[in-house]
mmCIF file of all heavy atoms in Angstrom:
data_model
loop_
_atom_site.group_PDB
_atom_site.id
_atom_site.type_symbol
_atom_site.label_atom_id
_atom_site.label_comp_id
_atom_site.label_asym_id
_atom_site.label_seq_id
_atom_site.Cartn_x
_atom_site.Cartn_y
_atom_site.Cartn_z
ATOM 1 N N TYR A 1 -75.936 -80.605 -161.483
ATOM 2 C CA TYR A 1 -76.721 -79.502 -160.949
ATOM 3 C C TYR A 1 -77.869 -80.107 -160.152
ATOM 4 O O TYR A 1 -78.546 -81.029 -160.622
ATOM 5 C CB TYR A 1 -77.266 -78.637 -162.098
ATOM 6 C CG TYR A 1 -78.150 -77.508 -161.638
ATOM 7 C CD1 TYR A 1 -77.608 -76.378 -161.058
ATOM 8 C CD2 TYR A 1 -79.530 -77.590 -161.783
ATOM 9 C CE1 TYR A 1 -78.403 -75.333 -160.632
ATOM 10 C CE2 TYR A 1 -80.337 -76.549 -161.352
ATOM 11 C CZ TYR A 1 -79.772 -75.428 -160.779
ATOM 12 O OH TYR A 1 -80.577 -74.403 -160.360
ATOM 13 N N SER A 2 -78.077 -79.614 -158.961
ATOM 14 C CA SER A 2 -79.172 -80.106 -158.120
ATOM 15 C C SER A 2 -80.394 -79.221 -158.311
ATOM 16 O O SER A 2 -80.335 -78.005 -158.096
ATOM 17 C CB SER A 2 -78.764 -80.109 -156.648
ATOM 18 O OG SER A 2 -77.696 -81.005 -156.452
ATOM 19 N N LEU A 3 -81.490 -79.836 -158.720
ATOM 20 C CA LEU A 3 -82.746 -79.122 -158.911
ATOM 21 C C LEU A 3 -83.436 -78.892 -157.569
ATOM 22 O O LEU A 3 -83.166 -79.610 -156.601
ATOM 23 C CB LEU A 3 -83.654 -79.925 -159.846
ATOM 24 C CG LEU A 3 -83.102 -80.147 -161.261
ATOM 25 C CD1 LEU A 3 -83.980 -81.138 -162.014
ATOM 26 C CD2 LEU A 3 -83.033 -78.828 -162.010
ATOM 27 N N PRO A 4 -84.326 -77.910 -157.510
ATOM 28 C CA PRO A 4 -85.029 -77.632 -156.240
ATOM 29 C C PRO A 4 -85.785 -78.834 -155.675
ATOM 30 O O PRO A 4 -85.938 -78.960 -154.467
ATOM 31 C CB PRO A 4 -85.998 -76.507 -156.616
ATOM 32 C CG PRO A 4 -85.390 -75.846 -157.805
ATOM 33 C CD PRO A 4 -84.664 -76.928 -158.541
ATOM 34 N N ASP A 5 -86.240 -79.739 -156.565
ATOM 35 C CA ASP A 5 -86.984 -80.905 -156.078
ATOM 36 C C ASP A 5 -86.061 -82.041 -155.621
ATOM 37 O O ASP A 5 -86.521 -83.124 -155.280
ATOM 38 C CB ASP A 5 -87.962 -81.400 -157.142
ATOM 39 C CG ASP A 5 -87.286 -81.943 -158.386
ATOM 40 O OD1 ASP A 5 -86.032 -82.026 -158.422
ATOM 41 O OD2 ASP A 5 -88.009 -82.285 -159.343
ATOM 42 N N GLY A 6 -84.738 -81.812 -155.623
ATOM 43 C CA GLY A 6 -83.792 -82.798 -155.134
ATOM 44 C C GLY A 6 -83.153 -83.665 -156.205
ATOM 45 O O GLY A 6 -82.197 -84.383 -155.931
ATOM 46 N N ARG A 7 -83.698 -83.610 -157.428
ATOM 47 C CA ARG A 7 -83.084 -84.397 -158.505
ATOM 48 C C ARG A 7 -81.748 -83.772 -158.899
ATOM 49 O O ARG A 7 -81.569 -82.571 -158.803
ATOM 50 C CB ARG A 7 -83.994 -84.450 -159.725
ATOM 51 C CG ARG A 7 -85.257 -85.269 -159.515
ATOM 52 C CD ARG A 7 -86.104 -85.311 -160.774
ATOM 53 N NE ARG A 7 -86.603 -83.953 -161.031
ATOM 54 C CZ ARG A 7 -86.851 -83.444 -162.231
ATOM 55 N NH1 ARG A 7 -86.646 -84.173 -163.308
ATOM 56 N NH2 ARG A 7 -87.302 -82.218 -162.377
ATOM 57 N N THR A 8 -80.843 -84.613 -159.349
ATOM 58 C CA THR A 8 -79.544 -84.156 -159.825
ATOM 59 C C THR A 8 -79.465 -84.410 -161.320
ATOM 60 O O THR A 8 -79.784 -85.504 -161.793
ATOM 61 C CB THR A 8 -78.406 -84.898 -159.103
ATOM 62 O OG1 THR A 8 -78.536 -84.668 -157.703
ATOM 63 C CG2 THR A 8 -77.052 -84.415 -159.568
ATOM 64 N N VAL A 9 -79.039 -83.395 -162.046
ATOM 65 C CA VAL A 9 -78.928 -83.489 -163.494
ATOM 66 C C VAL A 9 -77.458 -83.345 -163.878
ATOM 67 O O VAL A 9 -76.797 -82.384 -163.479
ATOM 68 C CB VAL A 9 -79.758 -82.374 -164.186
ATOM 69 C CG1 VAL A 9 -79.609 -82.439 -165.696
ATOM 70 C CG2 VAL A 9 -81.214 -82.465 -163.777
ATOM 71 N N ALA A 10 -76.949 -84.304 -164.637
ATOM 72 C CA ALA A 10 -75.577 -84.233 -165.143
ATOM 73 C C ALA A 10 -75.599 -83.514 -166.492
ATOM 74 O O ALA A 10 -76.523 -83.700 -167.291
ATOM 75 C CB ALA A 10 -75.000 -85.624 -165.300
ATOM 76 N N HIS A 11 -74.595 -82.692 -166.741
ATOM 77 C CA HIS A 11 -74.508 -81.997 -168.031
ATOM 78 C C HIS A 11 -73.054 -81.682 -168.343
ATOM 79 O O HIS A 11 -72.174 -81.750 -167.476
ATOM 80 C CB HIS A 11 -75.354 -80.719 -168.034
ATOM 81 C CG HIS A 11 -74.929 -79.704 -167.029
ATOM 82 N ND1 HIS A 11 -74.009 -78.716 -167.328
ATOM 83 C CD2 HIS A 11 -75.270 -79.522 -165.725
ATOM 84 C CE1 HIS A 11 -73.822 -77.969 -166.246
ATOM 85 N NE2 HIS A 11 -74.568 -78.437 -165.263
ATOM 86 N N LEU A 12 -72.809 -81.360 -169.598
ATOM 87 C CA LEU A 12 -71.460 -81.000 -170.026
ATOM 88 C C LEU A 12 -71.129 -79.583 -169.598
ATOM 89 O O LEU A 12 -71.992 -78.705 -169.603
ATOM 90 C CB LEU A 12 -71.344 -81.071 -171.552
ATOM 91 C CG LEU A 12 -71.397 -82.447 -172.182
ATOM 92 C CD1 LEU A 12 -71.441 -82.329 -173.692
ATOM 93 C CD2 LEU A 12 -70.210 -83.277 -171.747
ATOM 94 N N CYS A 13 -69.871 -79.372 -169.263
ATOM 95 C CA CYS A 13 -69.395 -78.015 -169.020
ATOM 96 C C CYS A 13 -69.297 -77.318 -170.377
ATOM 97 O O CYS A 13 -69.443 -77.938 -171.425
ATOM 98 C CB CYS A 13 -68.016 -78.051 -168.356
ATOM 99 S SG CYS A 13 -68.038 -78.742 -166.687
ATOM 100 N N ARG A 14 -69.004 -76.056 -170.357
ATOM 101 C CA ARG A 14 -68.891 -75.287 -171.589
ATOM 102 C C ARG A 14 -67.640 -75.712 -172.365
ATOM 103 O O ARG A 14 -66.583 -75.928 -171.795
ATOM 104 C CB ARG A 14 -68.799 -73.802 -171.243
ATOM 105 C CG ARG A 14 -68.744 -72.918 -172.433
ATOM 106 C CD ARG A 14 -68.786 -71.474 -172.009
ATOM 107 N NE ARG A 14 -68.650 -70.625 -173.173
ATOM 108 C CZ ARG A 14 -68.581 -69.323 -173.124
ATOM 109 N NH1 ARG A 14 -68.628 -68.703 -171.965
ATOM 110 N NH2 ARG A 14 -68.458 -68.620 -174.218
ATOM 111 N N ARG A 15 -67.787 -75.819 -173.681
ATOM 112 C CA ARG A 15 -66.643 -76.112 -174.546
ATOM 113 C C ARG A 15 -66.107 -74.792 -175.084
ATOM 114 O O ARG A 15 -66.817 -74.036 -175.726
ATOM 115 C CB ARG A 15 -67.050 -76.992 -175.722
ATOM 116 C CG ARG A 15 -65.907 -77.231 -176.701
ATOM 117 C CD ARG A 15 -66.367 -78.079 -177.888
ATOM 118 N NE ARG A 15 -65.269 -78.292 -178.794
ATOM 119 C CZ ARG A 15 -65.076 -77.598 -179.924
ATOM 120 N NH1 ARG A 15 -65.927 -76.650 -180.286
ATOM 121 N NH2 ARG A 15 -64.051 -77.863 -180.695
ATOM 122 N N PHE A 16 -64.848 -74.528 -174.804
ATOM 123 C CA PHE A 16 -64.216 -73.327 -175.325
ATOM 124 C C PHE A 16 -63.531 -73.673 -176.641
ATOM 125 O O PHE A 16 -62.861 -74.706 -176.748
ATOM 126 C CB PHE A 16 -63.205 -72.762 -174.321
ATOM 127 C CG PHE A 16 -63.876 -72.185 -173.114
ATOM 128 C CD1 PHE A 16 -64.020 -72.943 -171.964
ATOM 129 C CD2 PHE A 16 -64.391 -70.894 -173.134
ATOM 130 C CE1 PHE A 16 -64.663 -72.427 -170.848
ATOM 131 C CE2 PHE A 16 -65.028 -70.376 -172.025
ATOM 132 C CZ PHE A 16 -65.169 -71.137 -170.880
ATOM 133 N N LEU A 17 -63.720 -72.831 -177.630
ATOM 134 C CA LEU A 17 -63.106 -73.070 -178.928
ATOM 135 C C LEU A 17 -61.604 -72.878 -178.844
ATOM 136 O O LEU A 17 -61.125 -71.969 -178.163
ATOM 137 C CB LEU A 17 -63.684 -72.108 -179.973
ATOM 138 C CG LEU A 17 -65.168 -72.260 -180.255
ATOM 139 C CD1 LEU A 17 -65.633 -71.195 -181.230
ATOM 140 C CD2 LEU A 17 -65.466 -73.644 -180.794
ATOM 141 N N PRO A 18 -60.863 -73.726 -179.549
ATOM 142 C CA PRO A 18 -59.414 -73.541 -179.562
ATOM 143 C C PRO A 18 -59.045 -72.315 -180.389
ATOM 144 O O PRO A 18 -59.815 -71.875 -181.247
ATOM 145 C CB PRO A 18 -58.902 -74.818 -180.226
ATOM 146 C CG PRO A 18 -60.027 -75.270 -181.082
ATOM 147 C CD PRO A 18 -61.280 -74.864 -180.353
ATOM 148 N N ARG A 19 -57.878 -71.778 -180.140
ATOM 149 C CA ARG A 19 -57.376 -70.656 -180.935
ATOM 150 C C ARG A 19 -56.760 -71.259 -182.197
ATOM 151 O O ARG A 19 -55.802 -72.028 -182.094
ATOM 152 C CB ARG A 19 -56.359 -69.869 -180.138
ATOM 153 C CG ARG A 19 -56.982 -69.183 -178.930
ATOM 154 C CD ARG A 19 -55.936 -68.574 -178.046
ATOM 155 N NE ARG A 19 -54.948 -67.864 -178.848
ATOM 156 C CZ ARG A 19 -54.507 -66.650 -178.609
ATOM 157 N NH1 ARG A 19 -54.925 -66.012 -177.550
ATOM 158 N NH2 ARG A 19 -53.606 -66.082 -179.392
ATOM 159 N N PRO A 20 -57.294 -70.943 -183.375
ATOM 160 C CA PRO A 20 -56.790 -71.551 -184.608
ATOM 161 C C PRO A 20 -55.286 -71.408 -184.795
ATOM 162 O O PRO A 20 -54.631 -72.329 -185.280
ATOM 163 C CB PRO A 20 -57.546 -70.811 -185.709
ATOM 164 C CG PRO A 20 -58.812 -70.381 -185.061
ATOM 165 C CD PRO A 20 -58.426 -70.052 -183.641
ATOM 166 N N GLU A 21 -54.731 -70.274 -184.382
ATOM 167 C CA GLU A 21 -53.288 -70.063 -184.567
ATOM 168 C C GLU A 21 -52.450 -70.982 -183.690
ATOM 169 O O GLU A 21 -51.248 -71.127 -183.901
ATOM 170 C CB GLU A 21 -52.915 -68.595 -184.328
ATOM 171 C CG GLU A 21 -53.223 -68.087 -182.953
ATOM 172 C CD GLU A 21 -54.650 -67.560 -182.768
ATOM 173 O OE1 GLU A 21 -55.503 -67.728 -183.662
ATOM 174 O OE2 GLU A 21 -54.898 -66.974 -181.700
ATOM 175 N N GLU A 22 -53.065 -71.649 -182.722
ATOM 176 C CA GLU A 22 -52.344 -72.582 -181.868
ATOM 177 C C GLU A 22 -52.494 -74.035 -182.324
ATOM 178 O O GLU A 22 -51.903 -74.933 -181.738
ATOM 179 C CB GLU A 22 -52.808 -72.437 -180.417
ATOM 180 C CG GLU A 22 -52.429 -71.098 -179.820
ATOM 181 C CD GLU A 22 -52.943 -70.899 -178.411
ATOM 182 O OE1 GLU A 22 -53.655 -71.788 -177.890
ATOM 183 O OE2 GLU A 22 -52.640 -69.843 -177.831
ATOM 184 N N LEU A 23 -53.292 -74.262 -183.369
ATOM 185 C CA LEU A 23 -53.471 -75.611 -183.908
ATOM 186 C C LEU A 23 -52.392 -75.886 -184.950
ATOM 187 O O LEU A 23 -52.064 -75.021 -185.764
ATOM 188 C CB LEU A 23 -54.856 -75.748 -184.541
ATOM 189 C CG LEU A 23 -56.037 -75.550 -183.602
ATOM 190 C CD1 LEU A 23 -57.343 -75.560 -184.382
ATOM 191 C CD2 LEU A 23 -56.043 -76.598 -182.509
ATOM 192 N N THR A 24 -51.849 -77.065 -184.934
ATOM 193 C CA THR A 24 -50.796 -77.435 -185.874
ATOM 194 C C THR A 24 -51.391 -77.719 -187.249
ATOM 195 O O THR A 24 -52.202 -78.637 -187.406
ATOM 196 C CB THR A 24 -50.034 -78.679 -185.364
ATOM 197 O OG1 THR A 24 -49.496 -78.383 -184.076
ATOM 198 C CG2 THR A 24 -48.905 -79.063 -186.309
ATOM 199 N N ALA A 25 -50.999 -76.918 -188.229
ATOM 200 C CA ALA A 25 -51.485 -77.094 -189.599
ATOM 201 C C ALA A 25 -50.833 -78.325 -190.218
ATOM 202 O O ALA A 25 -49.628 -78.537 -190.085
ATOM 203 C CB ALA A 25 -51.176 -75.855 -190.427
ATOM 204 N N VAL A 26 -51.653 -79.150 -190.882
ATOM 205 C CA VAL A 26 -51.133 -80.332 -191.562
ATOM 206 C C VAL A 26 -51.507 -80.324 -193.040
ATOM 207 O O VAL A 26 -51.148 -81.234 -193.777
ATOM 208 C CB VAL A 26 -51.624 -81.644 -190.896
ATOM 209 C CG1 VAL A 26 -51.045 -81.781 -189.500
ATOM 210 C CG2 VAL A 26 -53.136 -81.729 -190.879
#
């Protein structure tokens, strides 16, 4: 993301939770 003062900030995108029913039960 570029700030108004010209600095660039790196950050993580949003993490979406997995659907539990699609996870393999062990």
Side-chain angles (χ1 to χ4, degrees):
Y1 177 75
S2 296
L3 298 171
D5 66 4
R7 291 181 293 149
T8 302
V9 178
H11 62 91
L12 291 173
C13 294
R14 183 175 177 184
R15 176 182 180 260
F16 290 96
L17 297 176
R19 294 172 45 132
E21 61 274 9
E22 293 177 357
L23 299 174
T24 302
V26 294

